[in-house]
Amino acid sequence: MVFAWPTVNRDDELRTVVSTLRSRRGPWGAVLTGDAGVGKTTLARAAVGAFAGERRWAAGTESARAVPLGAFAHLVGVSSPMDAASVLRAAREHLVADSADIVIGVDDAHLLDRLSATFVHQLAVNRIAPLVVTVRTGEPVPDAITALWKDNLLTRVELPPFTRAEAVSLVETVLGGPLEESSANRIFVMSEGNPLFLRHVVEGALEAGTLREVAGVWQLRGETVINPHLSTLIESRIDHLDPELRHVLELLAFQEPLSLEVLSKLSAPETVEAAENAGLVRVRRRDDSGLTVKLAHPLYGEVVRAGTGILAARRLRGEMARQIADHPPAHVSDRIRLAALALDSDSPPEAELLISAARDALTLGELVLGERLARGAMAMGAGFAAALPLAHSLAWQGRGTEAEAVLGPIDTSSLGEFDLLLWCLPRSANLFWMLGRPDEAASVMASVRARLTHPAAVNLLDALEAMFAVYAAQPAAATASIYEVIDSPVALPLAKAWAGASGALATAYLGRFDEVPSFAERGLAAAAESETGLLRFTIGLGQVYTQTMSGELTAAEELARHYVDFAEMQQPGRSLGGVLLGRVLFVKGALAAAETEFRQAAAVLEGTGYSWAFLSAAFLCQSLAALGRAADAREELVRAERLFGANTEVFRSDLELTRAWVAASESDTRRAIAHARAGADAAAGSELLAQEAVCLYLATRFGDATTAPRLAELAERVPSALIRAAAAHARALADGDGAALDTIAGKVEEAGALLSAADAAAQAAAAHASAGNRRAELASTANAKRLADLCGATTPALAVVAKPLPLTEREREVASMVALGLSNKEIADRLVVSVRTVEGHIYRSCTKLNVADRAALADAVRVGSR
């Protein structure tokens, strides 16, 4: 696969340089400074190329550095020996002999020999010609070149690396598709925005297959790959270092940051200082714990590690591990890093330290590191104690089959109650969620329950069974057990974390919003004490749902972003947080941003077994449908339906909502309403009152005028601003009250729910039209279109105001399906009417629009939708 890399324009910098070339006062030209690979030469050539006259180009090189005037040998003809002053004068005369209107470019001026540097300086001092000179930051530069900007002879233009947004935009342009955010962040961190490094990092990952497209999203997985071009580029910077300086780089390549105190004991303090002065390392203050040192560029470490042998690497890690162990770190992250460092050293730690560090890593959501530490302990023969964190890490990474292979063969006959539970919980959870085998999970728990006697042990099993009940759409029945566990004085943190998560989710969907904060607070506190880093996202689902239903959309978005930030780009946590954020953005009408979040999450969660995989696919489908991309939505619906199962039954109403949105995008309003009502029935059957209201509200927005009585009941029973708005909306629609719908649109928009506001405004326009109030109709139509434009949305209500065709609602529905390419038989099947009835609607539509046939009718509908 070949990818073309475009030349990235630095328009602002180019304009600055070109303007200096045209200046007749002040600096006549520019010096471009920056790190290797930031594009100095490209910009210099573009500026020189924009000059109308003759162009001359010279470049400093290591090989020509020893030759006087070597960089200009191809441009000036000095054949006889003479003193330096005469040489410079002759060179100057020869350079401008052919033309007085020239521009001179000098690349890599830091590599110029002394005489060449003096020659460039004289050209600038005597204003012989405008100059564009490039200099690499961090290199020793001849005094004559430094004087170019110090003496204001040329304008200095510092060329910075790309910003993150610029780097990601470039890579996405090259790949032709979106980058997963965590992968984009990793690529940017590795390249630090250096354009040349960026290109080589991406090309190396593509060649190695670690950067690949999954479900339309590019993901970077596995180790960084340094291709030969990039390796050579970086090695040219560090290969000729003194052994002492290189040793500093080697230490930091295997462990960074290091405290200055530790590094200064492994290498002389003056050497560390020299490394900083040379731009090889950076020294920063870390809170109040003193100074830390890290490499100046992440890729230095990659190249050094690649060039270091296995034994040497083990020795370096051992040096550092022993030194750090003499000053035991207080921060949990530092303790984890110490264990990881020692694991692959010539002084491996005790298995107990690895197990403890693995548990800490899982608590912080560091799943891959947790797996590595646990595997290290397993290799030391730790057995059962190491198998538990290993299985947790595998399951939470979506590798359920591997987790079962670790837990399944364990002989539990000699385990005590709590060890038995510590085996049962992750295995049952893995069977239920990751492998979709709930009956086996129930069997494992039943066999274990018979051996339990201690109340705390029973609490643990009760908590997990309650969570299973919630996901099996029995949340009301599960809440009593959840309260017993979370209120139990003997319940362990793990049990309380499970109870908090299941309680927050259950009470949110049940519409018992006042109970959610307590479950969330207690569950999060317990999760921080146990190996349940990802459970907090389930708690977040209940919290964000509650705030959204309460009309607190700003707070909901802030909370969702908190969960995104908490994940710190680690997967799958980043994707779980993305589902929360995307859902809020969808309600707010930020459909494009919501689609991005859901698409990235769906790609990451594909094949993991998480219930969140279904949610991401379903919500992505809804976003696509709301954006009017019917074909894409239909394709995503197939995936959502495939991911739905017994372990996601609590989300059945979300599945029906998804089907409703797809039907709406296909102009089948009748079927859309039917699916929304089916979702309401499913939710009501499980006593999910809040979710029932959500489904009925969507049916209302799709044109169902029969939902008002039930929504009014739900508004009385569930304390929710959103449900109260839905009930008022339904009553106004049933009454055909355009003014009331206008008022509702305004209130809902003020709350931030722009998509719902757009539907209310569109239905207000239709109500005003029915009442013959043309002035009000036009005002509501304009409002609906404004809101629709803000969202980029297409819904059944908006389709009416967007298509000023003189057709009835059913005629418009049939005509829209004709425009989608459906046959009369397919339309009849969808609408559950006869083909003859469809033909009648098409005939009347053609007559009203004065078109000849189906094809012309389809064209008229398409034109009217623009």
Side-chain angles (χ1 to χ4, degrees), residues 520-814:
E521 181 180 355
R522 298 164 76 180
L524 289 172
E529 299 180 48
S530 55
E531 299 167 28
T532 51
L534 295 182
L535 267 183
R536 66 185 69 238
F537 292 97
T538 301
I539 295 172
L541 183 58
Q543 290 176 295
V544 170
Y545 184 91
T546 296
Q547 290 184 331
T548 301
M549 294 296 292
S550 300
E552 301 170 7
L553 296 184
T554 299
E557 182 176 350
E558 289 175 356
L559 181 60
R561 292 191 184 279
H562 162 75
Y563 278 101
V564 168
D565 293 341
F566 174 82
E568 292 187 343
M569 293 298 174
Q570 298 296 310
Q571 298 290 11
R574 172 60 183 85
S575 292
L576 305 189
V579 172
L580 300 181
L581 177 57
R583 199 54 184 157
V584 181
L585 294 173
F586 181 88
V587 174
K588 295 182 74 171
L591 299 181
E595 181 206 347
T596 297
E597 291 293 339
F598 293 139
R599 187 174 296 284
Q600 293 197 20
V604 170
L605 299 172
E606 173 74 16
T608 62
Y610 281 108
S611 56
W612 293 79
F614 162 73
L615 289 178
S616 62
F619 294 158
L620 172 58
C621 180
Q622 293 179 29
S623 300
L624 293 169
L627 286 164
R629 292 157 57 183
D632 292 339
R634 169 62 62 180
E635 183 179 333
E636 201 60 39
L637 176 60
V638 173
R639 180 153 64 131
E641 290 177 332
R642 172 173 54 81
L643 293 170
F644 186 81
N647 56 2
T648 54
E649 187 63 34
V650 71
F651 303 123
R652 178 169 289 280
S653 57
D654 289 296
L655 176 61
E656 292 296 341
L657 287 172
T658 304
R659 289 168 171 160
W661 272 107
V662 173
S665 73
E666 295 173 339
S667 302
D668 193 341
T669 306
R670 176 182 167 279
R671 186 160 54 92
I673 291 173
H675 279 303
R677 297 299 299 245
D681 291 343
S686 297
E687 301 179 59
L688 303 176
L689 300 186
Q691 195 63 6
E692 180 188 359
V694 169
C695 294
L696 291 176
Y697 189 19
L698 188 65
T700 303
R701 290 164 52 193
F702 285 170
D704 186 349
T706 69
T707 61
R710 180 57 179 165
L711 278 171
E713 292 178 23
L714 292 171
E716 289 292 325
R717 298 178 61 182
V718 180
S720 163
L722 182 65
I723 298 176
R724 289 194 298 273
H729 187 151
R731 172 48 54 200
L733 181 67
D735 294 342
D737 189 340
L741 286 167
D742 281 328
T743 300
I744 291 162
K747 290 181 177 179
V748 175
E749 180 184 0
E750 186 177 349
L754 301 190
L755 188 57
S756 299
D759 281 337
Q763 289 176 333
H768 289 311
S770 296
N773 188 341
R774 181 62 173 164
R775 183 174 182 179
E777 177 194 357
L778 291 174
S780 297
T781 297
N783 190 34
K785 288 184 175 181
R786 175 184 64 84
L787 292 165
D789 288 343
L790 289 173
C791 301
T794 300
T795 69
L798 293 171
V800 174
V801 298
K803 302 175 184 177
L805 302 177
L807 305 177
T808 67
E809 182 177 349
R810 179 46 64 93
E811 288 168 351
R812 184 181 292 107
E813 191 172 30
V814 170

Side-chain angles (χ1 to χ4, degrees), residues 280-437:
L280 298 170
V281 303
R282 296 171 183 165
V283 181
R284 297 287 185 269
R285 179 169 295 280
R286 176 180 172 179
D287 302 326
D288 296 326
S289 58
L291 298 176
T292 62
V293 187
K294 64 181 298 184
L295 292 170
H297 200 289
L299 290 176
Y300 290 175
E302 299 288 348
V303 171
V304 170
R305 285 193 294 273
T308 304
I310 294 175
L311 296 180
R314 286 172 56 82
R315 173 182 53 77
L316 287 165
R317 292 190 186 100
E319 285 182 38
M320 290 183 286
R322 289 187 292 272
Q323 188 62 242
I324 295 172
D326 290 341
H327 305 80
H331 197 282
V332 63
S333 296
D334 292 333
R335 293 198 299 271
I336 295 170
R337 289 169 56 238
L338 173 59
L341 181 69
L343 175 61
D344 296 322
S345 76
D346 58 4
S347 300
E350 297 293 328
E352 290 76 10
L353 174 62
L354 292 178
I355 293 170
S356 174
R359 290 171 177 162
D360 288 339
L362 295 183
T363 300
L364 296 177
E366 296 278 359
L367 304 184
V368 175
L369 179 57
E371 176 191 351
R372 188 161 76 87
L373 295 169
R375 285 195 185 280
M378 287 282 285
M380 294 178 183
F384 178 75
L388 295 179
L390 176 58
H392 275 296
S393 66
L394 291 170
W396 289 345
Q397 291 178 72
R399 293 154 61 186
T401 302
E402 294 178 60
E404 173 63 11
V406 172
L407 295 173
I410 292 177
D411 180 7
T412 62
S413 59
S414 60
L415 296 180
E417 279 193 43
F418 286 99
D419 281 345
L420 183 63
L421 269 176
L422 291 176
W423 166 84
C424 169
L425 293 177
R427 188 180 182 205
S428 300
N430 187 55
L431 288 168
F432 185 87
W433 280 296
M434 302 304 169
L435 301 182
R437 289 147 56 179

